[in-house]
Amino acid sequence: MGKNNFFPGPDNGRGRSRNGVTPIIEGVFLMTKDRIIPYEELDDYCEFCLEPLSYDATYDSAYCAGCNEWREEPCTDPKCQFCTDRPKHPFDRR
């Protein structure tokens, strides 16, 4: 896989000046589904469908609503208050 440079316009990443400040776009990004995701935020997105992850406080775990899958493995503690009753899929009814 090669490296691609992305320049959003003919100004090589520099936007219009606002109040004397010219914004510059720098960094590593993933461009997909009409959005740009900064590299630092990729952990907040599903690795399969690239939708933002959600968090379920009841089970202390991140999940993808689009895939209906947990994105964190349950722990191995049989007495864990979060993992012992966690359903196989986030939207499964008990």
Side-chain angles (χ1 to χ4, degrees):
M1 182 183 292
K3 176 182 173 184
N4 292 325
N5 292 322
F6 174 71
F7 300 110
D11 54 1
N12 291 335
R14 287 173 171 63
R16 286 184 229 154
S17 179
R18 292 183 189 151
N19 299 328
V21 177
T22 303
I24 298 175
I25 300 172
E26 292 185 276
V28 178
F29 301 89
L30 173 67
M31 191 170 92
T32 182
K33 296 185 178 182
D34 297 327
R35 85 181 100 161
I36 298 174
I37 304 171
Y39 176 77
E40 298 82 22
E41 295 176 17
L42 283 176
D43 287 342
D44 298 333
Y45 289 82
C46 176
E47 62 187 279
F48 298 101
C49 71
L50 295 173
E51 290 298 318
L53 294 177
S54 299
Y55 176 75
D56 189 321
T58 303
Y59 303 110
D60 189 31
S61 187
Y63 67 94
C64 175
C67 296
N68 192 24
E69 295 287 341
W70 298 106
R71 290 297 173 233
E72 297 175 350
E73 294 293 323
C75 71
T76 57
D77 181 359
K79 298 178 183 177
C80 177
Q81 66 178 351
F82 301 109
C83 298
T84 54
D85 293 329
R86 188 172 94 171
K88 184 173 181 180
H89 301 283
F91 297 119
D92 284 354
R93 301 282 183 227
R94 297 191 157 262

